[in-house]
Amino acid sequence: MHRFKIQSKDERTFFVTGEELHHLVKVLRLRPGDKIKAFDNTGAEWLGIIEFISEDMASCRIIAEGYPEVEAKTNVYIAMGLAKGEKMEWVIQKGTELGMAGFVPLRTSRSVVQLDHKKAENRVKRWQKIASEAVKQARRVVEPKIFPVADWAELPEIFPANMQWLLPYEEEKNTLFSNILQEFDSNYPIGILIGPEGGFTPEEVAKTKELLNARSVSLGPRILRTETAALAALVMVLAFFGELG
Amino acid sequence: MHRFKIQSKDERTFFVTGEELHHLVKVLRLRPGDKIKAFDNTGAEWLGIIEFISEDMASCRIIAEGYPEVEAKTNVYIAMGLAKGEKMEWVIQKGTELGMAGFVPLRTSRSVVQLDHKKAENRVKRWQKIASEAVKQARRVVEPKIFPVADWAELPEIFPANMQWLLPYEEEKNTLFSNILQEFDSNYPIGILIGPEGGFTPEEVAKTKELLNARSVSLGPRILRTETAALAALVMVLAFFGELG
């Protein structure tokens, strides 16, 4: 069944508007009588029947309301150095399916990709769309937040002081992922720092420890591409806290 | 440093031939005096200096030999229903980086992709190449085997009777991944069965239990794309057995 994000509803009706309406009418060609699901990022989900469609909205009578237990209780964020090609899109899409809470595109020393202010804004909009589509695919009810492209110094401003940061790092031979996770508290958010293709510089690694008190961990002896590392680390954190079955 | 798969060596020299030679000479433009690494799927790795290059081979004097502890001790295979686009390629590439032992492309009921014998052969050759490139990227020393496209009935013939099969299945609400893994023995190979985009049919699920004694497991409440499920399950199995740091 198709799913839509909504901005407005009343007690017995929800309304599909804007781009979601366009998708409903022009792409999916849904009509009065069709059943759809809706969510609004509060954790609720509604089942409704389309009653009528105007130029501005599709009005849907609510048949059922629920609070599906589909969101991860542990809030895990990925902060990823700007990488080439479609790697960011890939991590955002699959990270959303897996259950991440949010994503920060990070300007790092070795990023080949440079984005001026306008490009960065457009890219973030596109990434938020990808996250929104993945939310529907995964049947989630809360969209992960895609943050504006950030510099290192902004991370302590964006996130609370109780954020627990992990730094998967190929130079780290000694510290087992699971050992570190045992020291983390899943009641507080967790952040995973992933470097661009060239990895982090030693200065950046030092900065993660200074600024963020990040714990560096090994992801094992095999060298992973940046996007593989991002997803592997995310899966390991979510699985450790029981969020993946 | 560049890595090459070799077929022949003697005590003090290894030889790069065939397509690997082409890559060395024409693409990477390496020359006598350059240092390279070599592996031959036995677990060994050599560091050598190119001494001379002919039309048929590059002859390299061995400077060092080692048995890097880079391969996963637990042998994990993925058997994946033929899926569209580049999903097979992604899973093979990233599965190889992560440490999988092998990959079986599986003909399943709901696979949209149909491959006749010739297409299947060519596809497998391409997939083996992708695995070989990923082995170099990851600095592994043993290439995972990409099996010929198989039908269900062939799986018990391809794999030993002590193979332990997992079936991540979205209809499975009750069985936690970690509970099942606690019953597995990492001394014996583990296989992960992944459906195509439409998933497995109930008949196929029954067949996995009959033919393979597969244990079905949940991957959590969110619906994952086929390639996300494949990688998440692989990460969870490898991480459980300590293969990812």
Side-chain angles (χ1 to χ4, degrees):
Chain A
M1 186 174 300
H2 296 291
R3 305 171 71 85
F4 296 86
K5 191 176 106 187
I6 57 167
Q7 323 272 17
S8 62
K9 64 178 288 291
D10 60 35
E11 229 185 88
R12 304 167 62 171
T13 314
F14 62 75
F15 305 99
V16 181
T17 56
E19 281 189 37
E20 294 288 276
L21 178 65
H22 181 268
H23 193 70
L24 183 154
V25 176
K26 301 288 186 192
V27 180
L28 298 174
R29 301 187 181 281
L30 300 176
R31 295 286 174 260
D34 290 333
K35 285 186 188 151
I36 61 173
K37 283 199 171 174
F39 65 96
D40 68 350
N41 282 346
T42 61
E45 183 188 84
W46 296 275
L47 172 66
I49 288 189
I50 302 174
E51 290 199 304
F52 66 82
I53 299 175
S54 71
E55 269 210 48
D56 302 312
M57 70 163 96
S59 171
C60 310
R61 178 166 53 85
I62 294 172
I63 314 172
E65 170 173 325
Y67 286 80
E69 291 205 30
V70 69
E71 293 299 313
K73 296 179 185 52
T74 314
N75 289 317
V76 188
Y77 295 79
I78 294 175
M80 181 172 171
L82 291 172
K84 294 186 299 186
E86 300 202 318
K87 294 169 198 233
M88 309 296 278
E89 285 78 0
W90 202 82
V91 173
I92 288 166
Q93 185 194 63
K94 284 140 177 43
T96 300
E97 294 168 43
L98 289 162
M100 76 179 179
F103 182 92
V104 186
L106 199 57
R107 280 196 191 87
T108 60
S109 287
R110 292 182 182 152
S111 292
V112 169
V113 176
Q114 300 291 331
L115 298 175
D116 62 36
H117 186 76
K118 191 74 206 159
K119 274 195 188 142
E121 259 190 19
N122 289 338
R123 203 61 66 90
V124 168
K125 277 190 199 143
R126 184 169 97 209
W127 290 334
Q128 191 67 66
K129 270 202 187 141
I130 285 169
S132 301
E133 286 163 12
V135 158
K136 295 173 182 182
Q137 148 85 33
R139 301 185 198 165
R140 287 182 62 174
V141 289
V142 178
E143 291 169 310
K145 181 176 160 75
I146 311 301
F147 289 79
V149 179
D151 294 301
W152 284 110
E154 299 176 67
L155 290 178
E157 294 165 28
I158 297 170
F159 292 105
N162 59 23
M163 183 89 156
Q164 304 156 102
W165 290 99
L166 273 166
L167 176 71
Y169 189 46
E170 64 271 12
E171 302 297 322
E172 179 57 64
K173 303 292 173 213
N174 297 324
T175 314
L176 295 186
F177 213 94
S178 47
N179 286 355
I180 296 296
L181 289 181
Q182 271 159 27
E183 298 176 27
F184 279 26
D185 183 341
S186 62
N187 291 306
Y188 301 121
I190 295 170
I192 302 169
L193 293 156
I194 299 289
E197 291 89 341
F200 290 125
T201 61
E203 293 74 25
E204 287 178 315
V205 172
K207 216 182 312 196
T208 66
K209 308 209 171 187
E210 254 174 64
L211 272 185
L212 306 169
N213 197 26
R215 306 299 301 278
S216 60
V217 285
S218 166
L219 279 176
R222 294 167 290 285
I223 304 292
L224 306 177
R225 287 170 178 255
T226 182
E227 69 275 21
T228 315
L231 287 189
L234 177 67
V235 168
M236 286 165 74
V237 173
L238 289 171
F240 185 89
F241 293 111
E243 306 286 2
L244 289 177
Chain B
M1 185 175 299
H2 296 292
R3 305 172 71 86
F4 296 86
K5 191 175 105 186
I6 58 168
Q7 322 272 19
S8 61
K9 65 178 287 292
D10 61 33
E11 227 185 271
R12 303 166 63 168
T13 313
F14 62 75
F15 305 98
V16 180
T17 56
E19 282 189 38
E20 294 288 277
L21 178 65
H22 181 268
H23 193 69
L24 183 153
V25 176
K26 301 289 185 190
V27 179
L28 298 173
R29 302 188 180 282
L30 299 177
R31 295 286 175 260
D34 289 332
K35 286 189 187 148
I36 61 174
K37 284 199 170 174
F39 64 95
D40 69 350
N41 283 345
T42 61
E45 182 188 86
W46 296 275
L47 173 66
I49 288 189
I50 303 175
E51 290 201 304
F52 65 83
I53 299 176
S54 71
E55 270 210 49
D56 303 311
M57 71 162 97
S59 171
C60 310
R61 177 166 54 85
I62 294 171
I63 313 172
E65 171 173 325
Y67 287 81
E69 291 204 31
V70 69
E71 293 299 313
K73 296 179 184 54
T74 314
N75 289 317
V76 188
Y77 295 80
I78 294 176
M80 180 173 171
L82 290 174
K84 294 185 301 185
E86 299 201 317
K87 295 170 197 232
M88 310 296 278
E89 284 79 1
W90 282 344
V91 173
I92 288 166
Q93 183 193 66
K94 285 140 176 44
T96 300
E97 293 168 43
L98 289 162
M100 77 180 177
F103 182 92
V104 186
L106 199 57
R107 280 196 192 87
T108 59
S109 287
R110 293 182 182 151
S111 291
V112 169
V113 176
Q114 300 292 330
L115 299 175
D116 64 34
H117 186 75
K118 191 74 204 159
K119 274 196 188 141
E121 258 190 19
N122 288 338
R123 204 62 65 91
V124 168
K125 277 190 197 142
R126 184 169 96 210
W127 291 334
Q128 191 67 65
K129 271 203 184 137
I130 285 169
S132 302
E133 286 162 11
V135 158
K136 294 174 181 182
Q137 148 84 34
R139 301 183 199 169
R140 287 183 62 175
V141 289
V142 179
E143 291 168 310
K145 180 177 161 76
I146 310 301
F147 289 79
V149 179
D151 295 301
W152 284 110
E154 298 176 68
L155 289 179
E157 294 166 28
I158 297 170
F159 292 105
N162 59 22
M163 183 88 156
Q164 305 158 99
W165 290 99
L166 272 166
L167 176 70
Y169 190 47
E170 63 270 13
E171 301 297 322
E172 179 58 62
K173 302 291 175 213
N174 296 325
T175 314
L176 296 187
F177 212 93
S178 47
N179 287 355
I180 296 296
L181 289 182
Q182 271 157 28
E183 298 176 28
F184 278 27
D185 183 341
S186 62
N187 291 306
Y188 301 122
I190 295 170
I192 302 170
L193 293 156
I194 299 289
E197 291 89 341
F200 291 124
T201 62
E203 294 74 24
E204 287 178 315
V205 173
K207 216 182 312 196
T208 66
K209 308 209 169 184
E210 254 174 65
L211 273 185
L212 304 169
N213 197 27
R215 307 298 302 278
S216 59
V217 286
S218 166
L219 278 176
R222 293 168 290 287
I223 304 292
L224 307 177
R225 287 169 179 256
T226 183
E227 69 274 22
T228 314
L231 289 186
L234 177 67
V235 168
M236 285 165 76
V237 173
L238 289 172
F240 185 89
F241 293 111
E243 306 285 3
L244 288 176

